[in-house]
C-alpha cells in the first residue's frame, strides 16, 4: 500500500523570506512601532559601544604599549571596562525591547486568530480539527516569536553592524579595507551555494515531515483497523521508508551548514593573512612600526567581528524558514473566511432574495417560530430535512418526536443559524432569521441542548455565562429548576469548581445546571433538546419538574423524549427521515393509530 | 504484531542508548574536533609571530611565509571542522531515525484503549517535538559540549606556555561564568516552567472554547470568553517577558565576561610588554585565544537549556517506550487457518470500565454457518462484545473461545486472521480503493483490480459505485476517505473485511449509512458468501436482523433475550418493543401497521 500525501498547502516550501507574508505580518507589528523606534535607538548605541573597543585597543598599542609607555594604560583600561558595561546594558535593553515587540505583536496576532476562528460558522468546526486550530494559536505563534528573537530582526542588526565595521575600517585605512574585502566574492559564492543547497534541502525536509506526520496520524487514528488486519509489520516497514527518506533529506543541509560555518571562519583568516602580508611589504626601514602594528591588530579584531554574523547565517536561515512556514499556515487560516450568520444583505444576495435594508419591524400577530418548506443537508451529504414546515404560536409548547437521525436536532441548529438552511424560510416573530441581527436572534431564542457543555470555573460562572447577574438572581434560577436540592445532595454550592467539561458532575446534575442557565436568561423563546441519558429516579423526578418550571408560560419548541413533556404539549409533530409525518395533539394522534400511537405505547411501557 | 527489531522495553534504556550505536562516527567526529582545536591553535600562533615579525628586522621576508602558514592552518581547521560536524550531526540523525522507527513500531502494539486515554495529538507531539529535542541534544549538544571542553583545554595549555601569570589574570573573570550559569540556569528553568504552565492553561482554554463553540455562539458568550482569552494571553506574554529578561541578562553578561578578560590582557599584558617581559606578538596571540573562547562561552547558556529540555523529553519518550501493550499474544499454538471452523463461544463474560459493568455475565454460542444478530439500545454493550471476540478489548481467561480454544491462549495474529471485521466508523487509509480492500489479505496491489479485490467489492455492493468513478478501483480516497459518501466508505470497509476470507465475519452496524434497500441486497448476497462460516451482525434496523438464525438482545450489558425473530416477537419483550419503535423506516412501519 502506498500512502498518497500531497502537501499542496506548502506553497512557500523552503523559503526563508516572503515579501507578501512579511507585509501581512507587519500589520501586527505596526501598532508597536514605538518599540521598534526604541530598538532603532538602542541598536546603534550597542554597536558604538562594541565597536569602540577595538579602537581603544589601537590607541593602547599605538600610543603606549608599542612605544613603551605604560602610564596611560590604566585610564584606557577603565574606559574599556566602561564600554564593556555600557555595551552589556545596552544589549540587554535592545534584546528586551525586541522581545517585548515580538511578544506584543504575537499577542495581537494570536487575538486576531482567536477572533477570526470564533467568527466562523459551525460547519467550519466540523471540518477543522481542534488540534490544528490550537497549533496555529500556540506552536506556530512560538515559531514566529523565534523570528523576532533570532531571525529577521537580528539579521537587520547584523547588517547594520557589518556596514558600520566597513565604514570604520575605511576611515582607518582604505587599502587594507579593500584588501580585506577582496575575499568578499569568495564569501558571496559560499553563501549563495549554501543558501541554494539549504533551500532545496528544506523543501525536501518539509515534504518528508508532512508525509511522516500524516502517516503516523493516520495509523494511530486507525489503530483498530491496523491491529484487526494485522498491519503492524507492514506499516512499520512503510514507515521505515518514509523515516529513512526524512533522515536523508537532511544530508545536504547538514553539509551546507557545516561548510558554511567552517569556511566563513577560514575566509576571515585569509583576509587577516592578506593584510599582514600587505603591511609587511610596505614596511620599509624607519617606518612608523607602532602605527602599522596597531592597525593590523585592530583590523584582526574588526575582521573577526565582521565574519561571526556571516558564520551564524545558516542557523538564522533555519529559524526564518520555520517562521515563514508557520506564518504561511496562519495566513491561510486567516484568509479562509466562512463567517457565522453573515448579515442579511450578504446572505440574501447569496440566496438571491431581496435584501432587507432596514431593521425589520416586529409583527405582533405572527407566530413565534415558523418553518416553511425548509430543506437542509450537511455539506454535500444526504438531505437531513426535506421540506419541513411547522409553526409555534406565541406562548404555546410544540413537541417534536421521532427516531434518531430523523432531523429533529437539525431544526434547532437552523433556527439559531448555527447552520444556514439550503431552501425555505425560517421566521422568528414573523421576521426571517437572516434579517435579524444574529446577537438579537440568539438572545431571544435560548437553546438547551442535550449534551450540556460546562466550562471550567464555578457553577455560578457557568449559570451566569457572560451575563451580568447578581447572586440573588443565580440562586433564584437554581432554586426554581430544583437544582439546589441536587447540589445540596452532593454538598456543592454556587462556588463549587467545575472540572474540565463538567467531568465531576453527573448527567442529571449537568442537565439541571443547564436549565438554571437557561432560566436565568428568561428567554422569549425556549428551545429544548431533551436528554436521553439515563439518570437515577430521584434526579429524573427533579428534571421533570425542572423542565416544567422552565417551560411555564413560555413559547417552547421541545425535542421530547419524556412522555410527560410530550403529553403536556399543545401540539406534537412526528418526524421521520427529514419530514413531518404526523401532527396533532396527543389524543388526536393516539386516536389516529399511526406512528405516534405505536411510539406512545413503548413510551408508556418505559415509564 | 512482531516485536520491533530492537526490544524497546530493554532494561538499559538511557538517553544515550540510541546514540551509542553510532559510537564509531561519534568517536571519529570527536577526534576530528580535537584535531580542529589543535590546528586552530596554529592561527593565533602564526598571527602572533607575524605581528612580532612586523616589528622585527625583516618583515617583508618573514611575514609572507607566516601568512601562508596561517591560511594553511585555517583551511585545515575548516576541513576537519566540516568533517566533525557532518559526522556528529549525521550520527544524531541516524539515531533519531532508529528512535522514531522503534517508537512507531511500539505504538502500533498498544491497544485501542491506550489511545482513548492518550489523545492522538499528545502521542504525535511525543513523536515530533520530543524526538526533535532529544536529537538536538545528540547533535548540537554533544558537538558543543565536546568542543567547549577541547577549546578550553587546548587554549589553556597554549596560554600557560607563553605566560602563566598573564594566563592566571586573564582567566580570572571566567569562574563567574559558572556562577552565572548556576544562578541564571535556575532562573531560566523556573521562568520556562512558568511559560509552559501558562501555555498549558491557554491551550486548555482554547480547546474548551473550540469544543464548546456551539454553546458560545448560541448563548452569545463570545465577549466573555474573549476577555478570558485576552487575559490569559497577556499573562503568557508577561511570563514570556520574564523569561526574556533572564535570557537577555545572561547573553550580554557572558559576552561581558569575555570582554573583561580582553581588558585584563590589555592592561596587565600591556604593562608586561612595556616592561619587556613578553612580546607584543604574544599579546596578539593571547587575544586570539580569547576570541577562540568567545563562542563556547556564549553557547554555554544555550547548552544548559538544551541538556535540561533534552532530558525532560527523553523521560517522556522512555515512559512511552516502556509502556507494555495490555493485550499480548497468547502462549498457545496458532490455529490451522484451513481447519478453522469459526465456532464462537462466550461464557460468563463480564467487562467493566471504570467500575461500570459494560458486559454482565454474557454467555452466547455462535455455530459455524449461522448468522447471529445482536440488537439493543445505544450503550447496551453490543460493540464491546464483538471487540472482545477480536481481543481489541482484553477478556479474562476462559470466557471467550474460538473453535473451543480460549482466545487468550492464541497468538493475536492467528485470532485476528480468522476474523473479518467491518466497523461502523469505516476507517480507510488515504490510498486507492483497491489497496484499501486488498488490506484484507495483506498485499499491496497498487490500485489494480485483482480478482480477490473485485470479488469482495462486488459482494459488498460496490460494483456500481466503482463503475461510475473515472478511476474505478484506482480512485484515491482522500484524507480519511472524505471523498466517498458515508455509505460508500462503509461498503469499502465491508469489502476489506470480506477480502480477508474470514471464518468469522463481524458487521458492527457497518451498513448504517447505506439505504435500507441496498442493505437488504448486500445482506442477501452475504448469506451466499458466508455459507459455512460464522456471521455476526449488529444493526439497529429490524429489517436487517429479521432473517438471522438467532437474535441476541442486549440490555445494559446483559443478554435479556435470545431467539429467532418470530419467537422473540411472540414473546412480546424488549425485541418486540424495539420492532415497534422503528419509526426510522417510516414506510416499513406504516406498511406493517396497515397490514
Amino acid at each position: 500500500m502506498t500512502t498518497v500525501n500531497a502537501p499542496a498547502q506548502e506553497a512557500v516550501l523552503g523559503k526563508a523570506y516572503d515579501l507578501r507574508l512579511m507585509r501581512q505580518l507587519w500589520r501586527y507589528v505596526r501598532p508597536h512601532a514605538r518599540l521598534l523606534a526604541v530598538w532603532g535607538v538602542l541598536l546603534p548605541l550597542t554597536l558604538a559601544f562594541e565597536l569602540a573597543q577595538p579602537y581603544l585597543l589601537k590607541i593602547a598599542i599605538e600610543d603606549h604599549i608599542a612605544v613603551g609607555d605604560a602610564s596611560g594604560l590604566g585610564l584606557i583600561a577603565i574606559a574599556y571596562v566602561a564600554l564593556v558595561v555600557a555595551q552589556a546594558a545596552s544589549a540587554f535593553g535592545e534584546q528586551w525591547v525586541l522581545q517585548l515587540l515580538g511578544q506584543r505583536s504575537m499577542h495581537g496576532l494570536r487575538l486576531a486568530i482567536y477572533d477570526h476562528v470564533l467568527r466562523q460558522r459551525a460547519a467550519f468546526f466540523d471540518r477543522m480539527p481542534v488540534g490544528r486550530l490550537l497549533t496555529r494559536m500556540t506552536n506556530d505563534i512560538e515559531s514566529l516569536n523565534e523570528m523576532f528573537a533570532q531571525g529577521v530582526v537580528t539579521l537587520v542588526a547584523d547588517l547594520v553592524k557589518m556596514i558600520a565595521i566597513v565604514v570604520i575600517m575605511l576611515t582607518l585605512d582604505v587599502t587594507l579595507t579593500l584588501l580585506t574585502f577582496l575575499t568578499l566574492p569568495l564569501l558571496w559564492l559560499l553563501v549563495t551555494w549554501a543558501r541554494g543547497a539549504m533551500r532545496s534541502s528544506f523543501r525536501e525536509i518539509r515534504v518528508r515531515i508532512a508525509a511522516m506526520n500524516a502517516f503516523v496520524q493516520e495509523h494511530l487514528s486507525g489503530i483498530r483497523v491496523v491491529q484487526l488486519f494485522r498491519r503492524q509489520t507492514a506499516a512499520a516497514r512503510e514507515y521505515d521508508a518514509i523515516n529513512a527518506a526524512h533522515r536523508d533529506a537532511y544530508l545536504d543541509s547538514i553539509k551546507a551548514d557545516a561548510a558554511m560555518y567552517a569556511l566563513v571562519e577560514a575566509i576571515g583568516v585569509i583576509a587577516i593573512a592578506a593584510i599582514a602580508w600587505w603591511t609587511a611589504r610596505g614596511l620599509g626601514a624607519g617606518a612608523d612600526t607602532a602605527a602599522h602594528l596597531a592597525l593590523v591588530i585592530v583590523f584582526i579584531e574588526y575582521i573577526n567581528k565582521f565574519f561571526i554574523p556571516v558564520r551564524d547565517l545558516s542557523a538564522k536561515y533555519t529559524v526564518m524558514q520555520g517562521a515563514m512556514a508557520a506564518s504561511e499556515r496562519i495566513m491561510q487560516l486567516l484568509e479562509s473566511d466562512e463567517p457565522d450568520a453573515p448579515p442579511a444583505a450578504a446572505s440574501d444576495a447569496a440566496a438571491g432574495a431581496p435584501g432587507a435594508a432596514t431593521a425589520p419591524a416586529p409583527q405582533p400577530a405572527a407566530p413565534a417560530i415558523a418553518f416553511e418548506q425548509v430543506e437542509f443537508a450537511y455539506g454535500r451529504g444526504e438531505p437531513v430535512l426535506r421540506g419541513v414546515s411547522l409553526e409555534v404560536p406565541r406562548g404555546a409548547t410544540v413537541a417534536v418526536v421521532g427516531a434518531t437521525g430523523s432531523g429533529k436536532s437539525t431544526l434547532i441548529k437552523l433556527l439559531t443559524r448555527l447552520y444556514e438552511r439550503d431552501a425555505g424560510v425560517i421566521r422568528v416573530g414573523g421576521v426571517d432569521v437572516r434579517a435579524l441581527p444574529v446577537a438579537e436572534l440568539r438572545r431571544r431564542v435560548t437553546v438547551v441542548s442535550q449534551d450540556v457543555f460546562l466550562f471550567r470555573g464555578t457553577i455560578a460562572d457557568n449559570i451566569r455565562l457572560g451575563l451580568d447577574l447578581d447572586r440573588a438572581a443565580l440562586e433564584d434560577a437554581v432554586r426554581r429548576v430544583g437544582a439546589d436540592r441536587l447540589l445540596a445532595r452532593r454538598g456543592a454550592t454556587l462556588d463549587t469548581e467545575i472540572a474540565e467539561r463538567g467531568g465531576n458532575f453527573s448527567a442529571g446534575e449537568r442537565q439541571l445546571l443547564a436549565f438554571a442557565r437557561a432560566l436565568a436568561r428568561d428567554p422569549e423563546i425556549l428551545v429544548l433538546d431533551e436528554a436521553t441519558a439515563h439518570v437515577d429516579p430521584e434526579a429524573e423526578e427533579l428534571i421533570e419538574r425542572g423542565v416544567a418550571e422552565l417551560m411555564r408560560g413560555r413559547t417552547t419548541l421541545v425535542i421530547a423524549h419524556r412522555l410527560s413533556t410530550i403529553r403536556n404539549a399543545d401540539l406534537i409533530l412526528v418526524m421521520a427521515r427529514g419530514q413531518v409525518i404526523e401532527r396533532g395533539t396527543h389524543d388526536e394522534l393516539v386516536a389516529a393509530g399511526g406512528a405516534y400511537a405505536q411510539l406512545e405505547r413503548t413510551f408508556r411501557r418505559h415509564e | 504484531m512482531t516485536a520491533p527489531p530492537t526490544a524497546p522495553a530493554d532494561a538499559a534504556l538511557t538517553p544515550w542508548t540510541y546514540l551509542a550505536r553510532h559510537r564509531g562516527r561519534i568517536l571519529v567526529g570527536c577526534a576530528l574536533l580535537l584535531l580542529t582545536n589543535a590546528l586552530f591553535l596554529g592561527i593565533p600562533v602564526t598571527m602572533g609571530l607575524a605581528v612580532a615579525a612586523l616589528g622585527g628586522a625583516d618583515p617583508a621576508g618573514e611575514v609572507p611565509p607566516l601568512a601562508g602558514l596561517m591560511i594553511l592552518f585555517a583551511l585545515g581547521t575548516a576541513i576537519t571542522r566540516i568533517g566533525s560536524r557532518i559526522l556528529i550531526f549525521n550520527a544524531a540523525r541516524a539515531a533519531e531515525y532508529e528512535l522514531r522507527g522503534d517508537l512507531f513500531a511500539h505504538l502500533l502494539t498498544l491497544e485501542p484503549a491506550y489511545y482513548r486515554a492518550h489523545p492522538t495529538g499528545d502521542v504525535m507531539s511525543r513523536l515530533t517535538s520530543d524526538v526533535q529535542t532529544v536529537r538536538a541534544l545528540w547533535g548540537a549538544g554533544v558537538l558543543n559540549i565536546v568542543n567547549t571542553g577541547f577549546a578550553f583545554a587546548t587554549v589553556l595549555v597554549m596560554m600557560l606556555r607563553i605566560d602563566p601569570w598573564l594566563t592566571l589574570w586573564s582567566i580570572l573573570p571566567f569562574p563567574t561564568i559558572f556562577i552565572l550559569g548556576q544562578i541564571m540556569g535556575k532562573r531560566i528553568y523556573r521562568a520556562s516552567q512558568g511559560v509552559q504552565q501558562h501555555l498549558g492553561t491557554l491551550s486548555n482554554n482554547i480547546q474548551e472554547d473550540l469544543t464548546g463553540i456551539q454553546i458560545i455562539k448560541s448563548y452569545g458568550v463570545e465577549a466573555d470568553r474573549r476577555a478570558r482569552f485576552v487575559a490569559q494571553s497577556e499573562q503568557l506574554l508577561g511570563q514570556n517577558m520574564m523569561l526574556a529578561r533572564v535570557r537577555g541578562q545572561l547573553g550580554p553578561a557572558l559576552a561581558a565576561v569575555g570582554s573583561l578578560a580582553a581588558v585584563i590582557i590589555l592592561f596587565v599584558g600591556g604593562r608586561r610588554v612595556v616592561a619587556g617581559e613578553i612580546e607584543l606578538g604574544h599579546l596578539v596571540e593571547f587575544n586570539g585565544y580569547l576570541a577562540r573562547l568567545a563562542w563556547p562561552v556564549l553557547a554555554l547558556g544555550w547548552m544548559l537549556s538544551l541538556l535540561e529540555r533534552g532530558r525532560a523529553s527523553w523521560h517522556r519518550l522512555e515512559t512511552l517506550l516502556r509502556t507494555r501493550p495490555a493485550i499480548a499474544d497468547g502462549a498457545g499454538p496458532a490455529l490451522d487457518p484451513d481447519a478453522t471452523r469459526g465456532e464462537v463461544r462466550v461464557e460468563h463474560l463480564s467487562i467493566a470500565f471504570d467500575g461500570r459493568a459494560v458486559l454482565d455475565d454474557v454467555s452466547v454460542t455462535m455455530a459455524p454457518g449461522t448468522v447471529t444478530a445482536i440488537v439493543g439500545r445505544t450503550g447496551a454493550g453490543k460493540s464491546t462484545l464483538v471487540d472482545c471476540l477480536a481481543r481489541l478489548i482484553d477478556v479474562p481467561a476462559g470466557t471467550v473461545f474460538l473453535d473451543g480454544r480460549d482466545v487468550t491462549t492464541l497468538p493475536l495474529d492467528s485470532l485476528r486472521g480468522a476474523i473479518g471485521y467491518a466497523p461502523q466508523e469505516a476507517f480507510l487509509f488515504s490510498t486507492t480503493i483497491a489497496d484499501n480492500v486488498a488490506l484484507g489479505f495483506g498485499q499491496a496491489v497498487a490500485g489494480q483490480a485483482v480478482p480477490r479485490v473485485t470479488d469482495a467489492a462486488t459482494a459488498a455492493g460496490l460494483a456500481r459505485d466503482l463503475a461510475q468513478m473515472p478511476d474505478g478501483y484506482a480512485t484515491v480516497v482522500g484524507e480519511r476517505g472524505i471523498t466517498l459518501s458515508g455509505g460508500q466508505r462503509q461498503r469499502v470497509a465491508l469489502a476489506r473485511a470480506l477480502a480477508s476470507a474470514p471464518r468469522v465475519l463481524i458487521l458492527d452496524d457497518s451498513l448504517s449509512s447505506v439505504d435500507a434497500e441496498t442493505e437488504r441486497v448486500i445482506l442477501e448476497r452475504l448469506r451466499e458468501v458466508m455459507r459455512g462460516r460464522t456471521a455476526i451482525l449488529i444493526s439497529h434496523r429490524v429489517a436487517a436482523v429479521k432473517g438471522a438464525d438467532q437474535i441476541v438482545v442486549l440490555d445494559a450489558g446483559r443478554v435479556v433475550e435470545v431467539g429467532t425473530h418470530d419467537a422473540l416477537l411472540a414473546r412480546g419483550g424488549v425485541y418486540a418493543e424495539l420492532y415497534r419503535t422503528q419509526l426510522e423506516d417510516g414506510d416499513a412501519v406504516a406498511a406493517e401497521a396497515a397490514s
Side-chain angles (χ1 to χ4, degrees):
Chain A
M1 187 182 74
T2 48
T3 306
V4 181
N5 287 295
Q9 75 271 31
E10 301 286 354
V12 288
L13 284 174
K15 261 196 210 171
Y17 184 79
D18 185 293
L19 202 64
R20 188 179 54 88
L21 287 175
M22 283 300 184
R23 250 200 316 269
Q24 280 167 323
L25 282 177
W26 171 245
R27 285 214 302 269
Y28 300 95
V29 181
R30 198 173 43 202
H32 313 287
R34 268 170 53 191
L35 285 173
L36 202 59
V38 174
W39 177 73
V41 172
L42 284 173
L43 171 69
L45 271 183
T46 315
L47 276 182
F49 292 138
E50 184 185 350
L51 298 182
Q53 290 167 24
Y55 196 76
L56 272 187
L57 187 67
K58 178 177 178 285
I59 295 173
I61 292 170
E62 194 173 341
D63 296 348
H64 302 281
I65 300 171
V67 294
D69 169 20
S71 64
L73 270 184
L75 212 60
I76 290 177
I78 290 169
Y80 205 126
V81 171
L83 282 177
V84 167
V85 172
Q87 184 203 337
S90 177
F92 167 71
E94 190 194 319
Q95 276 198 29
W96 192 79
V97 167
L98 200 55
Q99 283 284 337
L100 195 60
L101 174 71
Q103 291 287 342
R104 288 210 178 143
S105 307
M106 290 309 106
H107 170 71
L109 180 57
R110 203 193 323 258
L111 263 185
I113 303 174
Y114 181 85
D115 286 343
H116 178 80
V117 167
L118 251 68
R119 226 158 40 81
Q120 303 303 303
R121 60 176 178 212
F124 171 86
F125 298 92
D126 297 342
R127 244 193 7 258
M128 198 67 96
V130 169
R132 193 177 300 170
L133 294 173
L134 187 60
T135 308
R136 296 295 162 273
M137 283 186 252
T138 52
N139 295 3
D140 284 345
I141 291 276
E142 290 301 311
S143 298
L144 280 178
N145 249 336
E146 290 260 305
M147 185 178 79
F148 280 92
Q150 34 183 308
V152 66
V153 190
T154 37
L155 276 178
V156 172
D158 286 346
L159 199 66
V160 173
K161 184 176 179 175
M162 286 158 76
I163 292 171
I165 290 174
V166 174
V167 170
I168 293 174
M169 284 166 85
L170 278 173
T171 58
L172 286 174
D173 190 305
V174 176
T175 323
L176 285 190
T177 310
L178 292 179
L179 202 61
T180 303
F181 293 111
L182 273 184
T183 55
L184 272 188
L186 215 54
L187 200 62
W188 184 79
L189 275 179
L190 177 64
V191 170
T192 309
W193 167 77
R195 216 185 52 170
M198 283 172 118
R199 186 162 167 170
S200 63
S201 187
F202 277 135
R203 190 176 301 140
E204 169 103 5
I205 289 165
R206 290 214 71 79
V207 172
R208 300 295 174 202
I209 287 179
M212 199 162 65
N213 287 347
F215 188 87
V216 174
Q217 172 90 42
E218 185 167 77
H219 281 76
L220 294 189
S221 7
I223 190 76
R224 284 166 56 94
V225 173
V226 170
Q227 295 186 347
L228 277 167
F229 290 93
R230 301 169 290 149
R231 291 278 309 156
Q232 286 100 320
T233 317
R237 210 167 35 234
E238 273 177 55
Y239 180 75
D240 184 66
I242 303 175
N243 190 8
H246 168 254
R247 176 196 60 197
D248 298 339
Y250 284 93
L251 286 175
D252 281 347
S253 88
I254 288 175
K255 262 186 231 155
D257 171 75
M260 177 111 158
Y261 188 92
L263 288 175
V264 168
E265 217 169 49
I267 292 174
V269 176
I270 291 173
I272 292 171
I275 61 162
W277 165 75
W278 181 264
T279 309
R281 255 192 76 222
L283 270 184
D288 183 359
T289 324
H292 278 98
L293 272 181
L295 203 57
V296 170
I297 292 171
V298 81
F299 258 73
I300 293 175
E301 291 284 316
Y302 282 125
I303 289 171
N304 281 336
K305 283 189 191 298
F306 182 88
F307 280 91
I308 288 176
V310 185
R311 190 194 63 186
D312 296 339
L313 215 57
S314 67
K316 279 164 194 153
Y317 194 82
T318 312
V319 171
M320 285 299 293
Q321 206 272 337
M324 281 302 112
S327 61
E328 173 76 3
R329 288 192 292 266
I330 290 174
M331 293 309 160
Q332 241 164 28
L333 174 64
L334 289 180
E335 275 161 19
S336 68
D337 202 9
E338 304 170 39
D340 174 39
S347 58
D348 278 345
T358 51
Q363 302 175 18
I369 302 172
F371 278 62
E372 291 168 23
Q373 290 300 320
V374 172
E375 290 175 21
F376 179 74
Y378 290 99
R380 289 177 299 143
E382 290 275 294
V384 180
L385 296 182
R386 314 166 191 246
V388 171
S389 297
L390 62 87
E391 270 186 15
V392 182
R394 275 168 207 278
T397 296
V398 172
V400 181
V401 298
T404 314
S406 57
K408 295 167 301 180
S409 300
T410 305
L411 292 177
I412 301 179
K413 290 175 180 164
L414 296 186
L415 178 61
T416 53
R417 289 187 74 195
L418 284 178
Y419 291 81
E420 299 283 357
R421 59 190 163 62
D422 295 333
V425 187
I426 302 170
R427 296 180 208 279
V428 166
V431 180
D432 186 340
V433 288
R434 296 201 304 190
L436 283 170
V438 68
E440 187 195 330
L441 170 68
R442 289 176 186 166
R443 193 178 59 245
R444 286 170 63 185
V445 179
T446 291
V447 178
V448 179
S449 60
Q450 50 175 314
D451 54 291
V452 178
F453 191 93
L454 296 177
F455 293 96
R456 258 169 313 182
T458 62
I459 291 179
D461 290 340
N462 268 283
I463 294 175
R464 201 180 279 130
L465 208 62
L467 287 190
D468 187 21
L469 294 174
D470 62 15
R471 206 161 166 93
L474 297 180
E475 277 165 359
D476 182 56
V478 169
R479 198 182 51 251
R480 277 170 62 198
V481 298
D484 56 337
R485 280 168 57 193
L486 211 56
L487 291 181
R489 194 172 75 168
R490 79 200 300 272
T493 67
L494 278 178
D495 299 316
T496 302
E497 288 285 335
I498 289 174
E500 192 172 342
R501 307 213 57 179
N504 53 342
F505 284 80
S506 73
E509 287 162 343
R510 289 207 293 266
Q511 274 294 314
L512 280 179
L513 289 180
F515 293 163
R517 178 148 84 184
L519 192 70
R521 289 177 146 62
D522 191 21
E524 177 190 333
I525 297 168
L526 175 73
V527 178
L528 179 64
D529 195 352
E530 270 194 321
T532 45
H534 298 287
V535 292
D536 63 89
E538 193 190 343
E540 177 64 38
E541 196 196 319
L542 281 170
I543 287 174
E544 209 166 290
R545 273 200 235 158
V547 171
E549 176 62 30
L550 195 57
M551 291 171 29
R552 187 196 311 277
R554 211 183 294 279
T555 308
T556 307
L557 176 65
V558 55
I559 291 167
H561 296 290
R562 280 188 183 73
L563 191 57
S564 58
T565 318
I566 302 169
R567 268 200 185 127
N568 294 331
D570 300 306
L571 179 71
I572 298 163
L573 305 175
V574 183
M575 281 192 73
R577 300 179 142 205
Q579 283 172 318
V580 178
I581 57 166
E582 288 177 18
R583 60 183 82 206
T585 64
H586 175 77
D587 293 338
E588 286 167 10
L589 290 178
V590 169
Y596 178 77
Q598 287 178 350
L599 192 67
E600 193 266 343
R601 275 203 297 278
T602 70
F603 270 120
R604 229 173 25 215
R605 205 188 301 270
H606 271 297
E607 309 237 328
Chain B
M1 201 104 348
T2 47
T6 46
D10 184 356
L13 210 55
T14 76
W16 309 109
T17 310
Y18 283 88
L19 195 61
R21 293 196 201 131
H22 304 278
R23 65 173 79 80
R25 266 194 271 184
I26 294 285
L27 285 178
V28 176
C30 288
L32 282 178
L33 217 47
L34 187 60
L35 198 59
T36 305
N37 279 287
L39 284 171
F40 192 90
L41 295 176
I43 298 171
V45 170
T46 44
M47 230 183 256
L49 287 176
V51 168
L54 278 177
D58 178 21
E62 285 178 35
V63 172
L66 284 171
L69 214 53
M70 202 189 293
I71 293 175
L72 282 183
F73 275 122
L75 289 178
T77 308
I79 290 164
T80 49
R81 193 190 293 288
I82 291 174
S84 67
R85 285 179 89 86
I86 290 180
L87 279 170
I88 292 176
F89 285 152
N90 277 334
R93 287 283 170 196
E96 177 198 12
Y97 154 79
E98 282 162 15
L99 174 62
R100 267 185 210 282
D102 282 0
L103 279 167
F104 182 69
H106 182 65
L107 284 171
L108 292 185
T109 65
L110 297 176
E111 64 285 356
Y114 178 86
Y115 293 95
R116 274 193 294 278
H118 303 82
T120 315
D122 288 1
V123 180
M124 285 291 292
S125 77
R126 292 291 85 78
L127 224 65
T128 51
S129 65
D130 280 336
V131 169
Q132 241 169 48
T133 315
V134 169
R135 194 251 310 136
L137 176 66
W138 290 340
V142 166
L143 184 111
N144 279 298
I145 289 167
V146 172
N147 190 47
T148 303
F150 285 161
F152 265 95
T154 50
V155 162
L156 215 58
V157 168
M158 294 305 279
M159 283 169 118
L160 282 170
R161 189 186 54 92
I162 299 173
D163 185 341
W165 280 109
L166 191 54
T167 308
L168 207 62
W169 275 105
S170 62
I171 62 167
L172 212 56
F174 284 98
T176 49
I177 289 173
F178 296 102
I179 300 169
L180 272 176
Q182 279 292 315
I183 301 171
M184 299 295 225
K186 274 194 197 116
R187 284 176 60 196
I188 286 179
Y189 178 76
R190 269 202 302 271
S192 33
Q193 289 294 96
V195 167
Q196 283 309 317
Q197 207 182 330
H198 278 86
L199 196 60
T201 314
L202 186 79
S203 299
N204 279 334
N205 199 51
I206 295 172
Q207 206 148 15
E208 202 172 46
D209 285 349
L210 295 178
T211 36
I213 189 75
Q214 296 220 351
I215 185 103
I216 289 178
K217 283 185 179 294
S218 8
Y219 276 58
V221 206
E222 287 95 341
D224 194 51
R225 298 302 297 179
R226 184 181 193 273
R228 188 181 295 253
F229 176 81
V230 171
Q232 279 170 353
S233 180
E234 269 165 4
Q235 275 173 14
L236 177 63
L237 190 156
Q239 198 68 37
N240 263 321
M241 284 314 295
M242 207 121 92
L243 181 62
R245 195 149 58 229
V246 191
R247 285 222 178 109
Q249 285 165 0
L250 186 61
L254 289 174
V257 168
S259 301
L260 281 181
V263 182
I264 291 175
I265 290 175
L266 179 68
F267 182 68
V268 179
R271 291 171 72 94
R272 286 173 82 81
V273 172
V274 171
E277 284 160 324
I278 57 170
E279 286 174 36
L280 183 56
H282 287 145
L283 206 60
V284 174
E285 209 181 320
F286 248 88
N287 251 340
Y289 295 135
L290 210 60
R292 175 88 193 92
L293 293 185
W295 168 248
V297 166
L298 279 177
L300 212 66
W302 175 61
M303 279 187 304
L304 278 177
S305 82
L306 203 65
L307 267 174
E308 204 65 55
R309 277 164 44 209
R311 264 210 290 268
S313 286
W314 173 258
H315 179 70
R316 285 191 288 270
L317 292 177
E318 194 192 357
T319 310
L320 184 58
L321 281 172
R322 286 187 190 278
T323 306
R324 291 205 174 269
I327 300 174
D329 281 330
L335 289 169
D336 175 0
D338 298 322
T340 309
R341 290 176 299 121
E343 185 223 31
V344 176
R345 204 168 73 241
V346 177
E347 286 180 359
H348 306 291
L349 173 63
S350 295
I351 295 285
F353 294 148
D354 306 326
R356 192 173 57 90
V358 183
L359 289 181
D360 189 0
D361 196 28
V362 170
S363 295
V364 61
T365 301
M366 304 162 196
T370 65
V371 176
T372 299
I374 304 175
V375 298
R377 260 192 281 274
T378 309
K382 304 181 297 281
S383 294
T384 306
L385 178 57
V386 290
D387 277 359
C388 285
L389 303 185
R391 278 190 83 202
L392 286 174
I393 295 172
D394 212 5
V395 294
T399 52
V400 180
F401 301 86
L402 177 62
D403 280 8
R405 287 278 304 279
D406 184 340
V407 293
T408 60
T409 67
L410 288 170
L412 287 172
D413 225 25
S414 170
L415 169 67
R416 290 173 184 166
I419 294 174
Y421 192 114
Q424 179 181 12
E425 206 207 317
F427 180 90
L428 303 182
F429 290 95
S430 31
T431 176
T432 64
I433 291 181
D435 280 280
N436 265 297
V437 175
L439 202 74
F441 49 91
Q443 271 171 28
V445 295
Q448 293 303 305
V450 301
R452 245 181 123 166
V453 169
T454 52
D455 288 352
T458 310
L462 265 176
R464 208 187 315 150
D465 300 73
L466 284 166
Q468 282 167 0
M469 294 178 198
D471 293 334
Y473 283 92
T475 303
V476 173
V477 177
E479 192 185 339
R480 297 190 71 179
I482 276 165
T483 48
L484 299 185
S485 79
Q488 286 171 329
R489 256 185 295 163
Q490 286 190 332
R491 281 175 288 151
V492 175
L494 175 61
R496 177 170 67 195
L498 290 173
S500 68
R503 306 311 303 177
V504 179
L505 178 70
I506 300 172
L507 305 189
D508 183 0
D509 207 10
S510 52
L511 293 169
S512 59
S513 301
V514 176
D515 66 84
E517 177 55 22
T518 313
E519 181 182 31
R520 197 182 54 76
V521 174
I522 293 173
L523 288 177
E524 246 165 48
R525 205 174 303 146
L526 276 187
R527 280 201 89 96
E528 203 60 39
V529 176
M530 289 304 291
R531 188 179 298 281
R533 301 188 254 182
T534 312
I536 302 168
L537 176 66
I538 295 179
S539 181
H540 286 288
R541 289 189 189 142
V542 169
V545 303
K546 242 160 117 175
D549 297 301
Q550 66 170 346
I551 298 169
V552 177
V553 184
L554 282 181
D555 194 29
R558 298 187 69 94
V559 175
V560 288
E561 290 168 11
V562 180
T564 61
H565 173 77
D566 292 335
L568 291 180
L569 216 53
R571 215 181 121 163
V574 178
Y575 180 78
E577 194 177 288
L578 196 77
Y579 177 63
R580 278 194 294 266
T581 60
Q582 291 259 314
L583 279 168
E584 201 175 357
D585 277 324
D587 30 14
V589 171
E592 296 272 348
S595 65

